[in-house]
Amino acid sequence: MNGQKLVILGGGESGVGAALLGKAKGFDVFLSDRGALKDKYRDELRQNLIDFEEGMHTEDRVLQADLVVKSPGIPDTVPLVQRLRIQATPVISEIEFAARHTTAKLIGITGSNGKTTTTLLIYHLMKNAGLNVGLAGNIGDSFAKQVIDDTFDWFVLEISSYQLDTMYNTHINVAVLLNITPDHLDRYGYSFQNYVDSKFRILQNMQQDDDFIYFQESPAIVDGLANRSISPKLLPISLDRPVQTGGFFLNGELTAQNGNAKFSLPVADLPLKGPHNAINMLAAVLAAQSVGVSAENIADGLRTFKNAAHRLEPAGVINGVTFINDSKATNVDSVFYALASMTAPTIWIAGGQDKGNDYSQLDELVRQRVKALICLGKDNAKLVAHFSGMIPEIFETQSVIEAVQKGQEWAEPGEVVLLSPACASFDLFRNYEDRGEQFKQAVKKQK
């Protein structure tokens, strides 16, 4: 291994993490990004004496690699990746690379929708129960970077189809497949079957003592199972009927059985609402049972998930429009978490003191969920510039009362007005608590 040439294509969170792990494991590392690196990643590479380039790919040098770790954002159809394939250079994902260097067991979550919520919930249930668990994949800190010290017993990984496409030997111990609906088809030759096949790659190295959790009312999953020989134990989830082994949601109650572990709980007082989140919660419950979390700890974890003040806190309902206070979301990652939890069209209130935010990671979620943006801050230029053309309606204000009024005006019954700022509060408020309290008061006055 020592001295092998490792080339990293893409210098974001996963790429820089892979570079750091490669360096720690004795590879001769070179990172190449056709775009510009963020300052923090450039600094990290320099501090660790890792050779890199930006704004270009030096093809001759890339083609000399013994192993390539590719960013999930780079399609296989890119000519440079095609040349690597032709010359039989292994091209893998950061998850595959990290998995080769960890002793931890892995829980993998994939699906077209709900991945982030379910991943965060499984992580919360395990951590709440005192398990030594890390969070990585398509969320949070780089998996590869966390594997350098390799101190966790478990990792909970959100895994996209793009990452699965370049995973070959990774062994997932507990796999969750939430749903498969047409998505990203431009990356799959406009073939839905190719996309389905990509999702099912999560099962490729699973064994008989592993667990596979899936939603049995997703037609593409049912068809995919019928055409495959499946090794792990099957744990289906249903919203239609009771299942003996697995989970179901009927009459307002979650019920799950995994081996000898049994669990049931009414959802009325739980922070996650709606059938979509019932699937997510059942998947999380079954995964937690797989790793030995008690029913008591699971119930406690479900109740405490996202339930702190100013963190996705219900702020009231006016004429069928739900107002949610997520003022504690002072960075883009927190907003990603919030938007991923929305199941209805959302009027998003954002803005404040920008901390060098990169909003691009929100683009897909914003397109899916946000129907209008209200900018609440003194300087909204960056927000407006990024989301103009992506969000049909954008309104600017420095008044939280005016923001709530505009949200009420734009939202239809059944929709959501979400305060999730992505920014610090200090331009208009004392702190995020003050911002959240003013928002809640403004909603009360509006009733």
Side-chain angles (χ1 to χ4, degrees):
M1 185 188 297
N2 281 2
Q4 270 200 322
K5 290 180 179 175
L6 172 67
V7 170
I8 315 291
L9 293 179
E13 178 68 24
S14 65
V16 172
L20 293 168
L21 176 60
K23 169 102 179 191
K25 297 299 179 183
F27 285 89
D28 175 7
V29 182
F30 174 58
L31 183 145
S32 177
D33 194 313
R34 215 171 71 177
L37 297 178
K38 288 186 186 176
D39 291 343
K40 68 172 182 176
Y41 294 138
R42 190 183 299 113
D43 293 344
E44 203 164 13
L45 292 168
R46 284 176 176 155
Q47 286 163 13
N48 288 276
L49 304 177
I50 294 172
D51 196 8
F52 69 92
E53 66 180 358
E54 53 185 321
M56 62 184 294
H57 290 312
T58 302
E59 290 202 11
D60 288 348
R61 188 162 182 191
V62 172
L63 293 170
Q64 289 172 19
D66 297 304
L67 177 66
V68 171
V69 174
K70 176 178 75 69
S71 162
I74 301 173
D76 279 346
T77 51
V78 167
L80 180 56
V81 176
Q82 293 284 317
R83 289 190 192 101
L84 287 163
R85 301 268 191 216
I86 288 166
Q87 67 181 30
T89 302
V91 179
I92 63 173
S93 69
E94 176 238 2
I95 291 182
E96 174 83 2
F97 184 56
R100 295 177 180 182
H101 298 284
T102 183
T103 58
K105 290 188 174 181
L106 306 179
I107 298 176
I109 299 92
T110 197
S112 302
N113 299 291
K115 292 188 296 295
T116 301
T117 301
T118 305
T119 302
L120 289 165
L121 182 53
I122 293 172
Y123 173 71
H124 176 73
L125 295 182
M126 292 176 70
K127 193 162 187 181
N128 184 66
L131 293 177
N132 180 29
V133 58
L135 174 71
N138 210 29
I139 188 171
D141 295 330
S142 159
F143 182 28
K145 188 175 181 180
Q146 295 183 68
V147 162
I148 294 170
D149 295 327
D150 206 29
T151 57
F152 293 115
D153 299 324
W154 287 92
F155 274 100
V156 182
L157 304 174
E158 178 185 330
I159 309 175
S160 71
S161 58
Y162 297 170
Q163 290 162 320
L164 286 165
D165 289 338
T166 40
M167 289 167 58
Y168 303 97
N169 299 311
T170 301
H171 174 207
I172 302 295
N173 301 93
V174 180
V176 177
L177 180 52
L178 295 164
N179 44 61
I180 309 177
T181 55
D183 200 3
H184 308 300
L185 295 190
D186 55 326
R187 282 280 288 261
Y188 293 98
Y190 296 95
S191 162
F192 181 48
Q193 187 58 52
N194 289 345
Y195 176 62
V196 171
D197 292 343
S198 175
K199 288 296 187 189
F200 269 92
R201 288 175 66 88
I202 199 166
L203 298 175
Q204 61 190 336
N205 298 301
M206 295 189 78
Q207 298 165 8
Q208 288 184 348
D209 56 351
D210 298 325
D211 285 354
F212 175 44
I213 299 160
Y214 64 96
F215 179 46
Q216 71 173 20
E217 276 107 48
S218 173
I221 294 178
V222 173
D223 291 346
L225 286 172
N227 296 318
R228 287 171 170 81
S229 174
I230 306 295
S231 297
K233 181 174 74 179
L234 297 179
L235 293 167
I237 291 168
S238 176
L239 298 184
D240 289 346
R241 63 187 74 88
V243 295
Q244 282 197 318
T245 298
F248 59 94
F249 176 59
L250 290 173
N251 303 318
E253 185 160 284
L254 302 172
T255 303
Q257 177 149 356
N258 183 346
N260 294 322
K262 296 181 180 180
F263 178 84
S264 63
L265 190 71
V267 300
D269 298 326
L270 299 181
L272 288 175
K273 306 296 182 187
H276 176 67
N277 277 317
I279 300 167
N280 298 339
M281 285 189 283
L282 284 166
V285 169
L286 290 165
Q289 289 175 324
S290 291
V291 303
V293 178
S294 71
E296 185 181 10
N297 277 331
I298 290 172
D300 181 62
L302 288 174
R303 291 189 185 103
T304 57
F305 183 60
K306 302 192 232 175
N307 219 14
H310 312 295
R311 168 63 77 207
L312 289 169
E313 178 187 19
V317 179
I318 307 172
N319 298 330
V321 175
T322 300
F323 288 79
I324 297 176
N325 166 34
D326 194 38
S327 182
K328 195 176 181 182
T330 58
N331 58 44
V332 175
D333 285 343
S334 295
V335 175
F336 187 97
Y337 175 9
L339 289 177
S341 302
M342 296 299 106
T343 56
T346 300
I347 313 296
W348 175 31
I349 303 175
Q353 193 171 57
D354 188 281
K355 298 182 289 186
N357 287 346
D358 176 8
Y359 293 109
S360 60
Q361 66 176 285
L362 300 176
D363 288 357
E364 188 173 348
L365 274 173
V366 164
R367 288 189 185 100
Q368 290 172 359
R369 290 167 167 77
V370 176
K371 65 176 275 187
L373 170 63
I374 297 168
C375 299
L376 177 62
K378 287 184 178 176
D379 182 3
N380 304 308
K382 190 171 173 183
L383 267 170
V384 172
H386 186 85
F387 291 108
S388 287
M390 191 184 308
I391 300 176
E393 302 273 6
I394 297 178
F395 177 76
E396 295 186 64
T397 181
Q398 294 185 25
S399 161
V400 69
I401 292 172
E402 195 173 27
V404 167
Q405 289 172 342
K406 180 57 75 170
Q408 176 67 27
E409 175 190 327
W410 275 347
E412 302 287 335
E415 296 182 346
V416 173
V417 177
L418 169 70
L419 171 68
S420 194
C423 300
S425 54
F426 307 123
D427 62 337
L428 294 174
F429 307 94
R430 291 194 308 276
N431 48 41
Y432 77 80
E433 292 97 338
D434 177 42
R435 176 170 58 193
E437 291 301 330
Q438 288 198 38
F439 176 75
K440 288 191 288 185
Q441 288 304 314
V443 174
K444 279 183 183 174
K445 288 176 185 173
Q446 188 74 4
K447 285 186 176 181

